[in-house]
Amino acid sequence: MCGIVGYAGGRPAVPILLRALKDLEYRGYDSAGIAVLDGDRLAITKKQGKIANLEAALGPAPAGTVGIGHTRWATHGRPSDRNAHPHSSCDGRVVVIHNGIVENYAALRDELQARGHTFHSETDTETVAHLLEAEMAAGADLFEALARTARRLEGSQALVAMSLDEPGTLVAARLGNAGGIVIGFGDGETVVASDLAAVLPLTQEVAFLADGQVARVTPAGAEAKTVTGEPVALQRKRIPIDPVTALKGQYPHFMLKEIHEQPEAIADTIWSLATLDPPALYFDDLGPAADRLADIERVVLIGMGTSLHAAMVGQRYIEAFAGIPADADNASEFRYRDPVLDDRTLVISVSQSGETVDVLEAMAVARQAGALQVTVCNTAGAQTTRVADGTVYTRAGLERGVASTKCFTTAVVALYLLALRIAQAKGRLSDRELALHLHDLAQLPRAVSEVLRQRDLVRKRAVSLAAAQHVLFLGRGLAFPVAMEGALKLKEVSYIHAEGYAAGEMKHGPIALIEPSFPTVAIATRHALRTKMISNIEQIQARGGPVTGVVTEGDAELTALCDAVLTVPAVSSWLEPVAAVIPLQLLAYDVAVHRGCDVDQPRNLAKTVTVE
Ligand code: AGP
């Protein structure tokens, strides 16, 4: 979704904004633009396509030290130079960048046009520039103009604006859940952005705006208030960053780098929540949720995409370990039905970014129903962590590849430990059982490293799958969500149509598709209801369909049966989803590279989805 950045300081703004926009590229975008103070005017440059197009159009950049930049992911108006942000007021003295949707933009545009304003784009965003202009003409300063404008906008928005009338100032607003606004405090310079990736290279001292807040940002710092005028004390925090995770290093793509970071990310996640000696669980960020887990009678896990698949694995852990009913649901469906929840229900939201609008809206529904909430999140200070009663952080580090990899496996591991924590709170986990689980977890990073060593084998498999038009992924039990995730990865990065199915469902329809040109990937590891999977594989082969099996090392029977196999080392049955997903991630990556696809920025996709 759209990326937002603003800079107010003492250095030329353009290079800083360009670099920040590159740091935001992973969000997905179709055009980019910059506005910078240039003497007595605001110089705007914007271009459809990659940031390289914007750089080429910029020519000798103005030396101004205050400016804003934007990467756009189109919602209203097709991708074009004209519809790219920033958008300006009639007199060109106010410019604005935006993430979200102004739901009442048509009514506002009609009203503004009737008052003499002229529009230059097809976007909803432009209404904001004209509203700001009108409020300033009525006597408000830029800060107050944004507060007043915010009160007129329907829908969720993140906004940053600047005006020639207040040359050293930027203003920002967060309204609802259209992505965050984070302010970074440097030495004589302040940066404001949609996410941490654009801020951390400049400073680690940050504060987040909450829903309904606006901020005035200057080189000296920032102040905030609510849109209705109550003062807000910005809570500053220091965000640790490992600079290595932010660079591709030896890898050609972030996706490949992040796949290879999994052994470490998994280990970091495990040992931030548990110790082996003595065997113990530590959930430092559970807050008030910690004391209420014993009373929980039911769990609902919500998430989208890859995070939903992790939630589906977590559901199975909670039922097995804690012995209470658990369901996993797509957050966007959950919020629009009438979910039955009460204060004995625990809602666990899973979100890498912590800013996915579908998840946040579902959390609002859960809050209203009085449910206890815990979020499993990879982003410090993100919105889900502020809404939930408690947080379980995954320690995957910054994930830039649009296709999520290390955030899936670390979320599964975090959910495993959370399920143990709930079981413990309910008196269903002995110390000995905990020790055994932790012992199994301790083996996992090494097992994942072993799978990664099979890269060459996977690459060969990828070459034969790259010509397919459709691929079916099958799994049962814990391997069903893995099949869903394998299919999602393949379609996201290679644009091959892929479906993940519960293997038992295969005979009820999908089997009609099977023919020699329709490959199947079957997850048939030691514990994934292996004998049932063998029957499914035979049924497919009987119809001429080629099968690639993901099997446990040393499984001679399946190796002989399948047309090709990718192997994973033997791990505890509960941890097979983590081991088995790794070859599928590599497979998707290698197929995509073989087909010449843009692996880190697949078409039409955004890293953080902040519109419904
Ligand atoms: C994963 O590869 C996807 N790009 C996508 O499905 C993602 O998992 C989903 O949008 C949820 O994001 P979140 O974890 O940040 O909430």
Side-chain angles (χ1 to χ4, degrees):
M1 302 282 121
C2 304
I4 286 177
V5 62
Y7 173 82
R11 296 187 279 160
V14 171
I16 293 170
L17 294 172
L18 280 173
R19 185 202 153 148
L21 290 182
K22 287 177 188 164
D23 286 331
L24 293 173
E25 272 190 304
Y26 74 101
R27 292 172 67 99
Y29 68 107
D30 52 57
S31 50
I34 276 181
V36 66
L37 201 62
D38 183 21
D40 58 359
R41 71 185 188 108
L42 289 171
I44 302 177
T45 312
K46 44 195 203 172
K47 275 281 164 210
Q48 186 184 345
K50 296 286 180 193
I51 290 171
N53 299 357
L54 172 67
E55 283 181 290
L58 269 165
T65 60
V66 181
I68 56 179
H70 189 265
T71 47
R72 176 175 189 248
W73 189 86
T75 56
H76 290 64
R78 67 195 162 82
S80 69
D81 291 355
R82 198 158 61 101
N83 288 333
H85 299 209
H87 289 287
S88 52
S89 56
C90 299
D91 60 10
R93 298 185 73 78
V94 176
V95 284
V96 65
I97 52 179
H98 172 222
N99 187 11
I101 295 174
V102 180
E103 289 172 4
N104 56 336
Y105 84 100
L108 289 171
R109 191 188 49 205
D110 291 350
E111 173 197 317
L112 287 156
Q113 280 174 334
R115 286 160 61 187
H117 289 259
T118 306
F119 281 72
H120 300 285
S121 74
E122 302 155 303
T123 66
D124 53 334
T125 306
E126 197 182 337
T127 53
V128 179
H130 294 282
L131 284 170
L132 288 171
E133 178 181 41
E135 295 295 353
M136 292 184 81
D141 64 13
L142 185 59
F143 191 26
E144 177 56 20
L146 185 59
R148 290 185 196 172
T149 297
R151 298 202 291 265
R152 300 220 48 209
L153 305 177
E154 289 172 16
S156 291
Q157 341 282 342
L159 292 156
V160 174
M162 61 190 285
S163 164
L164 256 191
D165 297 316
E166 294 176 36
T169 303
L170 302 174
V171 289
R174 175 175 186 145
L175 311 169
N177 297 318
I181 288 284
V182 54
I183 302 169
F185 303 92
D187 187 9
E189 57 186 8
T190 311
V191 59
V192 58
S194 49
D195 59 7
L196 282 169
V199 171
L200 290 177
L202 291 175
T203 174
Q204 289 162 256
E205 182 89 9
V206 305
F208 294 89
L209 285 192
D211 177 16
Q213 295 181 350
V214 291
R216 185 197 330 251
V217 175
T218 65
E223 63 176 308
K225 62 180 178 182
T226 65
V227 294
T228 48
E230 293 89 45
V232 168
L234 287 170
Q235 304 292 325
R236 291 195 190 196
K237 58 168 81 177
R238 224 178 148 68
I239 303 284
I241 181 178
D242 167 10
V244 180
T245 63
L247 301 168
K248 278 188 218 158
Q250 70 197 83
Y251 297 98
H253 297 99
F254 281 113
M255 183 180 175
L256 187 62
K257 173 174 181 264
E258 288 160 3
I259 290 172
H260 281 83
E261 282 171 350
Q262 290 178 106
E264 204 182 334
I266 290 168
D268 287 351
T269 301
I270 298 169
W271 306 125
S272 68
L273 299 170
T275 58
L276 200 53
D277 188 15
L281 298 171
Y282 294 98
F283 282 80
D284 292 342
D285 300 298
L286 269 188
D291 294 334
R292 291 178 56 196
L293 292 180
D295 301 327
I296 287 308
E297 290 172 352
R298 185 177 154 238
V299 179
V300 179
L301 297 103
I302 53 172
M304 299 299 291
T306 289
S307 290
L308 173 60
H309 300 152
M312 289 166 68
V313 180
Q315 169 204 5
R316 288 155 169 83
Y317 291 155
I318 289 164
E319 286 188 334
F321 303 161
I324 50 175
D327 293 300
D329 206 349
N330 175 301
S332 65
E333 289 298 316
F334 172 87
R335 75 162 288 209
Y336 285 116
R337 43 191 186 78
D338 295 314
V340 179
L341 307 167
D342 58 25
D343 61 357
R344 302 244 160 175
T345 309
L346 169 64
V347 173
I348 301 176
S349 49
V350 184
S351 178
Q352 170 278 130
S353 61
E355 297 289 351
T356 297
V357 68
D358 301 295
V359 175
L360 291 169
E361 296 299 333
M363 289 177 80
V365 170
R367 170 146 303 253
Q368 214 152 23
L372 180 65
Q373 296 207 55
V374 170
T375 189
V376 174
C377 183
N378 191 51
T379 310
Q383 185 68 0
T384 58
T385 70
R386 295 197 294 270
V387 175
D389 301 290
T391 297
V392 179
Y393 280 113
T394 49
R395 307 285 169 177
L398 197 59
E399 186 179 71
R400 284 177 184 257
V402 166
S404 185
T405 52
K406 59 180 179 171
C407 285
F408 174 78
T409 47
T410 52
V412 168
V413 163
L415 286 163
Y416 185 112
L417 289 161
L418 181 57
L420 294 178
R421 177 70 180 78
I422 298 169
Q424 199 177 49
K426 299 194 81 65
R428 287 182 56 105
L429 185 75
S430 69
D431 289 350
R432 181 170 155 64
E433 284 166 332
L434 174 61
L436 289 174
H437 280 295
L438 294 176
H439 179 266
D440 289 343
L441 278 163
Q443 318 301 315
L444 190 60
R446 195 174 38 81
V448 170
S449 304
E450 277 178 42
V451 185
L452 291 170
R453 281 194 215 111
Q454 287 186 42
R455 179 75 204 295
D456 288 342
L457 206 71
V458 175
R459 218 186 263 135
K460 279 193 203 125
R461 241 5 265 134
V463 174
S464 65
L465 280 186
Q469 284 194 314
H470 315 274
V471 180
L472 185 63
F473 287 74
L474 293 182
R476 283 175 185 261
L478 282 166
F480 169 42
V482 176
M484 302 279 289
E485 178 59 9
L488 177 65
K489 286 287 90 75
L490 188 68
K491 63 185 132 186
E492 273 188 300
V493 295
S494 76
Y495 315 141
I496 292 177
H497 170 231
E499 294 301 337
Y501 257 89
E505 181 73 16
M506 196 256 308
K507 294 181 296 298
H508 300 274
I511 198 165
L513 299 168
I514 300 298
E515 54 169 350
S517 65
F518 195 129
T520 296
V521 176
I523 296 111
T525 45
R526 200 168 42 146
H527 298 281
L529 298 166
R530 181 180 166 279
T531 45
K532 300 278 176 205
M533 285 303 296
I534 289 178
S535 309
N536 290 132
I537 291 168
E538 284 167 343
Q539 287 153 13
I540 292 165
Q541 289 178 326
R543 284 146 187 94
V547 177
T548 299
V550 175
V551 307
T552 306
E553 261 166 31
D555 191 331
E557 185 185 0
L558 269 164
T559 305
L561 178 66
C562 295
D563 299 274
V565 291
L566 300 169
T567 60
V568 297
V571 293
S572 126
S573 57
W574 297 112
L575 294 171
E576 280 188 347
V578 176
V581 80
I582 310 289
L584 305 186
Q585 296 170 343
L586 286 171
L587 196 65
Y589 173 81
D590 282 318
V591 169
V593 170
H594 194 77
R595 288 165 65 97
C597 301
D598 187 348
V599 177
D600 282 335
Q601 289 161 39
R603 69 183 179 210
N604 304 338
L605 290 181
K607 179 72 182 159
T608 307
V609 181
T610 52
V611 293
E612 276 193 77

